[in-house]
Amino acid sequence: MNLDLSRVESVLPLVNWDSPQWAVLEAIWGYGVREGFLSNVSLSRPFSPDSVDVIERLGGDVLFWYQRNLYSSSRSTSIDRYGLVGLSLLDLTQSSVILTEGVSDYLTMKFLYPDCNVLGFTTLGGNSKSTKILLSLFSEIVFIADNDFTKSTNTGLVNGLHLKRYYEGFGKVCQVYLPDLPYKDITQQFISQCKIRSREL
């Protein structure tokens, strides 16, 4: 999948692209918040220097609260009201949405495409609440799947095609995209391409 990296050009020299993935996401998201277009979703380290908290608020309500360790796969979800992250930043005049498998890919795609609706499943393939929201709000879904090419069955692709058939069954237009090889997800591709570009500066 081709990524438009124009949004990140100005921050390329400001980010340590060799940092852990979630430290990179924290850095670029902070830039977006300072620019004023991502303010309802925060990334910070309120409790531990080794963990990033992703908190989404709408008004006085917390919709989503997720903690992710910087140096391991340890993670936990404290609050998840709808099975989606990104609801507070939706433009309801748009009938299309970019949908990602997971929180990190949501952060990547929303940073790169701030003028588009972007949502991220917070559980594999979503749940009944997220399905109802997607069916009620959007006529076109662009799904960014994982690419589990190293497994005997590419579960990311299988899940993406299953989701495509499901939503097309309700009359929706649904496209599935995979990250380029050899990347497992779109965030890996994004960081790798930014790392390469930053070294060319």
Side-chain angles (χ1 to χ4, degrees):
M1 177 181 177
N2 291 326
L3 292 176
D4 179 4
L5 298 181
S6 59
R7 284 272 331 144
V8 80
E9 290 290 346
S10 60
V11 300
L12 278 174
L14 307 178
V15 175
N16 180 359
W17 298 99
D18 292 312
S19 298
Q21 174 178 290
W22 278 88
V24 171
L25 291 172
E26 179 188 25
I28 65 164
W29 197 263
Y31 171 82
V33 169
R34 288 191 295 275
E35 290 293 297
F37 61 86
L38 301 175
S39 56
N40 288 351
V41 179
S42 66
L43 270 73
S44 62
R45 306 187 202 185
F47 303 114
S48 168
D50 295 337
S51 297
V52 171
D53 286 40
V54 181
I55 305 172
E56 179 173 18
R57 294 179 173 87
L58 184 59
D61 295 328
V62 176
L63 304 183
F64 182 66
W65 194 327
Y66 173 82
Q67 302 87 34
R68 183 63 159 79
N69 190 279
L70 294 175
Y71 305 106
S72 75
S73 59
S74 176
R75 70 195 75 187
S76 64
T77 302
S78 302
I79 299 173
D80 185 4
R81 298 193 186 280
Y82 300 105
L84 293 164
V85 60
L87 289 167
S88 66
L89 297 173
L90 288 180
D91 177 357
L92 296 179
T93 66
Q94 298 183 30
S95 61
S96 62
V97 65
I98 298 170
L99 181 62
T100 71
E101 190 71 84
V103 180
S104 61
D105 287 353
Y106 162 76
L107 296 169
T108 295
M109 295 302 290
K110 186 60 181 178
F111 180 82
L112 290 177
Y113 304 98
D115 296 327
C116 297
N117 281 330
V118 183
L119 292 171
F121 280 140
T122 57
T123 58
L124 182 63
N127 59 26
S128 59
K129 289 182 179 179
S130 60
T131 298
K132 289 177 182 178
I133 290 170
L134 291 164
L135 288 173
S136 65
L137 293 182
F138 304 109
S139 59
E140 182 175 353
I141 298 169
V142 176
F143 183 59
I144 312 300
D146 288 345
N147 193 357
D148 299 310
F149 62 93
T150 59
K151 298 180 180 179
S152 57
T153 299
N154 191 328
T155 52
L157 177 59
V158 170
N159 290 338
L161 295 176
H162 173 76
L163 182 144
K164 174 180 169 67
R165 288 192 297 270
Y166 179 82
Y167 284 101
E168 286 179 342
F170 288 89
K172 310 298 182 180
V173 175
C174 189
Q175 304 173 67
V176 177
Y177 289 91
L178 296 175
D180 294 343
L181 292 174
Y183 306 111
K184 181 183 181 299
D185 60 42
I186 206 67
T187 300
Q188 287 183 359
Q189 178 180 335
F190 163 69
I191 290 176
S192 179
Q193 290 179 346
C194 287
K195 187 183 298 186
I196 293 168
R197 187 168 295 191
S198 69
R199 289 170 178 168
E200 296 172 348
L201 296 177

PDB file of all heavy atoms in Angstrom, residues 25-42:
ATOM      1  N   LEU A  25       5.218   6.732  17.845  1.00  0.00           N
ATOM      2  CA  LEU A  25       3.815   7.146  17.720  1.00  0.00           C
ATOM      3  C   LEU A  25       3.495   8.277  18.686  1.00  0.00           C
ATOM      4  O   LEU A  25       2.781   9.228  18.336  1.00  0.00           O
ATOM      5  CB  LEU A  25       2.894   5.951  17.969  1.00  0.00           C
ATOM      6  CG  LEU A  25       2.910   4.860  16.900  1.00  0.00           C
ATOM      7  CD1 LEU A  25       2.103   3.658  17.354  1.00  0.00           C
ATOM      8  CD2 LEU A  25       2.391   5.378  15.570  1.00  0.00           C
ATOM      9  N   GLU A  26       4.009   8.193  19.903  1.00  0.00           N
ATOM     10  CA  GLU A  26       3.793   9.259  20.881  1.00  0.00           C
ATOM     11  C   GLU A  26       4.360  10.585  20.371  1.00  0.00           C
ATOM     12  O   GLU A  26       3.731  11.643  20.507  1.00  0.00           O
ATOM     13  CB  GLU A  26       4.444   8.878  22.203  1.00  0.00           C
ATOM     14  CG  GLU A  26       4.291   9.929  23.299  1.00  0.00           C
ATOM     15  CD  GLU A  26       5.110   9.599  24.524  1.00  0.00           C
ATOM     16  OE1 GLU A  26       6.134   8.871  24.404  1.00  0.00           O
ATOM     17  OE2 GLU A  26       4.750  10.062  25.610  1.00  0.00           O
ATOM     18  N   ALA A  27       5.540  10.533  19.772  1.00  0.00           N
ATOM     19  CA  ALA A  27       6.184  11.751  19.284  1.00  0.00           C
ATOM     20  C   ALA A  27       5.409  12.396  18.146  1.00  0.00           C
ATOM     21  O   ALA A  27       5.151  13.609  18.163  1.00  0.00           O
ATOM     22  CB  ALA A  27       7.610  11.438  18.839  1.00  0.00           C
ATOM     23  N   ILE A  28       5.011  11.597  17.148  1.00  0.00           N
ATOM     24  CA  ILE A  28       4.313  12.200  16.009  1.00  0.00           C
ATOM     25  C   ILE A  28       2.910  12.633  16.397  1.00  0.00           C
ATOM     26  O   ILE A  28       2.400  13.647  15.910  1.00  0.00           O
ATOM     27  CB  ILE A  28       4.286  11.260  14.787  1.00  0.00           C
ATOM     28  CG1 ILE A  28       3.476   9.995  15.065  1.00  0.00           C
ATOM     29  CG2 ILE A  28       5.683  10.943  14.311  1.00  0.00           C
ATOM     30  CD1 ILE A  28       3.087   9.231  13.825  1.00  0.00           C
ATOM     31  N   TRP A  29       2.263  11.888  17.292  1.00  0.00           N
ATOM     32  CA  TRP A  29       0.914  12.271  17.706  1.00  0.00           C
ATOM     33  C   TRP A  29       0.945  13.579  18.479  1.00  0.00           C
ATOM     34  O   TRP A  29       0.059  14.418  18.351  1.00  0.00           O
ATOM     35  CB  TRP A  29       0.275  11.164  18.543  1.00  0.00           C
ATOM     36  CG  TRP A  29      -1.201  11.299  18.659  1.00  0.00           C
ATOM     37  CD1 TRP A  29      -1.897  11.870  19.695  1.00  0.00           C
ATOM     38  CD2 TRP A  29      -2.186  10.890  17.704  1.00  0.00           C
ATOM     39  NE1 TRP A  29      -3.244  11.821  19.446  1.00  0.00           N
ATOM     40  CE2 TRP A  29      -3.445  11.227  18.230  1.00  0.00           C
ATOM     41  CE3 TRP A  29      -2.113  10.258  16.456  1.00  0.00           C
ATOM     42  CZ2 TRP A  29      -4.630  10.955  17.555  1.00  0.00           C
ATOM     43  CZ3 TRP A  29      -3.297   9.999  15.788  1.00  0.00           C
ATOM     44  CH2 TRP A  29      -4.528  10.340  16.331  1.00  0.00           C
ATOM     45  N   GLY A  30       1.990  13.760  19.287  1.00  0.00           N
ATOM     46  CA  GLY A  30       2.144  15.027  19.998  1.00  0.00           C
ATOM     47  C   GLY A  30       2.233  16.213  19.060  1.00  0.00           C
ATOM     48  O   GLY A  30       1.681  17.281  19.320  1.00  0.00           O
ATOM     49  N   TYR A  31       2.895  16.010  17.927  1.00  0.00           N
ATOM     50  CA  TYR A  31       2.951  17.060  16.912  1.00  0.00           C
ATOM     51  C   TYR A  31       1.555  17.369  16.382  1.00  0.00           C
ATOM     52  O   TYR A  31       1.165  18.532  16.239  1.00  0.00           O
ATOM     53  CB  TYR A  31       3.868  16.626  15.771  1.00  0.00           C
ATOM     54  CG  TYR A  31       3.841  17.549  14.573  1.00  0.00           C
ATOM     55  CD1 TYR A  31       4.585  18.715  14.550  1.00  0.00           C
ATOM     56  CD2 TYR A  31       3.047  17.242  13.464  1.00  0.00           C
ATOM     57  CE1 TYR A  31       4.546  19.568  13.454  1.00  0.00           C
ATOM     58  CE2 TYR A  31       3.008  18.080  12.357  1.00  0.00           C
ATOM     59  CZ  TYR A  31       3.764  19.238  12.369  1.00  0.00           C
ATOM     60  OH  TYR A  31       3.711  20.068  11.282  1.00  0.00           O
ATOM     61  N   GLY A  32       0.777  16.327  16.114  1.00  0.00           N
ATOM     62  CA  GLY A  32      -0.581  16.541  15.614  1.00  0.00           C
ATOM     63  C   GLY A  32      -1.460  17.251  16.625  1.00  0.00           C
ATOM     64  O   GLY A  32      -2.273  18.105  16.262  1.00  0.00           O
ATOM     65  N   VAL A  33      -1.305  16.925  17.908  1.00  0.00           N
ATOM     66  CA  VAL A  33      -2.088  17.591  18.946  1.00  0.00           C
ATOM     67  C   VAL A  33      -1.717  19.069  19.007  1.00  0.00           C
ATOM     68  O   VAL A  33      -2.587  19.945  19.115  1.00  0.00           O
ATOM     69  CB  VAL A  33      -1.870  16.912  20.309  1.00  0.00           C
ATOM     70  CG1 VAL A  33      -2.468  17.753  21.441  1.00  0.00           C
ATOM     71  CG2 VAL A  33      -2.486  15.518  20.315  1.00  0.00           C
ATOM     72  N   ARG A  34      -0.429  19.381  18.931  1.00  0.00           N
ATOM     73  CA  ARG A  34       0.001  20.785  18.965  1.00  0.00           C
ATOM     74  C   ARG A  34      -0.530  21.551  17.769  1.00  0.00           C
ATOM     75  O   ARG A  34      -0.799  22.756  17.852  1.00  0.00           O
ATOM     76  CB  ARG A  34       1.527  20.859  19.023  1.00  0.00           C
ATOM     77  CG  ARG A  34       2.106  20.437  20.373  1.00  0.00           C
ATOM     78  CD  ARG A  34       3.577  20.779  20.483  1.00  0.00           C
ATOM     79  NE  ARG A  34       4.395  20.036  19.546  1.00  0.00           N
ATOM     80  CZ  ARG A  34       4.867  18.802  19.768  1.00  0.00           C
ATOM     81  NH1 ARG A  34       4.560  18.178  20.890  1.00  0.00           N
ATOM     82  NH2 ARG A  34       5.622  18.202  18.879  1.00  0.00           N
ATOM     83  N   GLU A  35      -0.688  20.858  16.640  1.00  0.00           N
ATOM     84  CA  GLU A  35      -1.263  21.502  15.462  1.00  0.00           C
ATOM     85  C   GLU A  35      -2.780  21.667  15.575  1.00  0.00           C
ATOM     86  O   GLU A  35      -3.399  22.353  14.777  1.00  0.00           O
ATOM     87  CB  GLU A  35      -0.937  20.682  14.209  1.00  0.00           C
ATOM     88  CG  GLU A  35       0.522  20.710  13.816  1.00  0.00           C
ATOM     89  CD  GLU A  35       0.960  22.076  13.352  1.00  0.00           C
ATOM     90  OE1 GLU A  35       0.425  22.558  12.336  1.00  0.00           O
ATOM     91  OE2 GLU A  35       1.835  22.672  14.004  1.00  0.00           O
ATOM     92  N   GLY A  36      -3.385  20.992  16.556  1.00  0.00           N
ATOM     93  CA  GLY A  36      -4.790  21.214  16.856  1.00  0.00           C
ATOM     94  C   GLY A  36      -5.772  20.287  16.195  1.00  0.00           C
ATOM     95  O   GLY A  36      -6.978  20.445  16.365  1.00  0.00           O
ATOM     96  N   PHE A  37      -5.299  19.264  15.448  1.00  0.00           N
ATOM     97  CA  PHE A  37      -6.266  18.435  14.730  1.00  0.00           C
ATOM     98  C   PHE A  37      -6.447  17.054  15.332  1.00  0.00           C
ATOM     99  O   PHE A  37      -7.205  16.245  14.814  1.00  0.00           O
ATOM    100  CB  PHE A  37      -5.901  18.325  13.243  1.00  0.00           C
ATOM    101  CG  PHE A  37      -4.568  17.710  12.943  1.00  0.00           C
ATOM    102  CD1 PHE A  37      -4.421  16.340  12.829  1.00  0.00           C
ATOM    103  CD2 PHE A  37      -3.453  18.510  12.759  1.00  0.00           C
ATOM    104  CE1 PHE A  37      -3.193  15.776  12.543  1.00  0.00           C
ATOM    105  CE2 PHE A  37      -2.222  17.955  12.466  1.00  0.00           C
ATOM    106  CZ  PHE A  37      -2.090  16.585  12.363  1.00  0.00           C
ATOM    107  N   LEU A  38      -5.773  16.761  16.439  1.00  0.00           N
ATOM    108  CA  LEU A  38      -5.891  15.431  17.035  1.00  0.00           C
ATOM    109  C   LEU A  38      -6.141  15.510  18.543  1.00  0.00           C
ATOM    110  O   LEU A  38      -5.838  14.575  19.276  1.00  0.00           O
ATOM    111  CB  LEU A  38      -4.608  14.618  16.770  1.00  0.00           C
ATOM    112  CG  LEU A  38      -4.233  14.390  15.302  1.00  0.00           C
ATOM    113  CD1 LEU A  38      -2.882  13.691  15.206  1.00  0.00           C
ATOM    114  CD2 LEU A  38      -5.287  13.569  14.590  1.00  0.00           C
ATOM    115  N   SER A  39      -6.709  16.606  18.998  1.00  0.00           N
ATOM    116  CA  SER A  39      -6.681  16.909  20.424  1.00  0.00           C
ATOM    117  C   SER A  39      -7.579  16.021  21.282  1.00  0.00           C
ATOM    118  O   SER A  39      -7.379  15.945  22.491  1.00  0.00           O
ATOM    119  CB  SER A  39      -7.049  18.374  20.655  1.00  0.00           C
ATOM    120  OG  SER A  39      -8.307  18.658  20.065  1.00  0.00           O
ATOM    121  N   ASN A  40      -8.571  15.345  20.704  1.00  0.00           N
ATOM    122  CA  ASN A  40      -9.472  14.523  21.529  1.00  0.00           C
ATOM    123  C   ASN A  40      -8.868  13.178  21.927  1.00  0.00           C
ATOM    124  O   ASN A  40      -9.406  12.487  22.793  1.00  0.00           O
ATOM    125  CB  ASN A  40     -10.792  14.261  20.799  1.00  0.00           C
ATOM    126  CG  ASN A  40     -11.654  15.502  20.741  1.00  0.00           C
ATOM    127  OD1 ASN A  40     -11.357  16.505  21.378  1.00  0.00           O
ATOM    128  ND2 ASN A  40     -12.723  15.447  19.973  1.00  0.00           N
ATOM    129  N   VAL A  41      -7.778  12.803  21.280  1.00  0.00           N
ATOM    130  CA  VAL A  41      -7.093  11.547  21.588  1.00  0.00           C
ATOM    131  C   VAL A  41      -5.682  11.896  22.046  1.00  0.00           C
ATOM    132  O   VAL A  41      -4.938  12.552  21.317  1.00  0.00           O
ATOM    133  CB  VAL A  41      -7.041  10.607  20.373  1.00  0.00           C
ATOM    134  CG1 VAL A  41      -6.307   9.318  20.718  1.00  0.00           C
ATOM    135  CG2 VAL A  41      -8.453  10.299  19.869  1.00  0.00           C
ATOM    136  N   SER A  42      -5.328  11.477  23.251  1.00  0.00           N
ATOM    137  CA  SER A  42      -4.015  11.824  23.790  1.00  0.00           C
ATOM    138  C   SER A  42      -3.147  10.583  23.951  1.00  0.00           C
ATOM    139  O   SER A  42      -3.641   9.488  24.219  1.00  0.00           O
ATOM    140  CB  SER A  42      -4.158  12.524  25.144  1.00  0.00           C
ATOM    141  OG  SER A  42      -4.691  11.635  26.114  1.00  0.00           O
TER     142      SER A  42
END
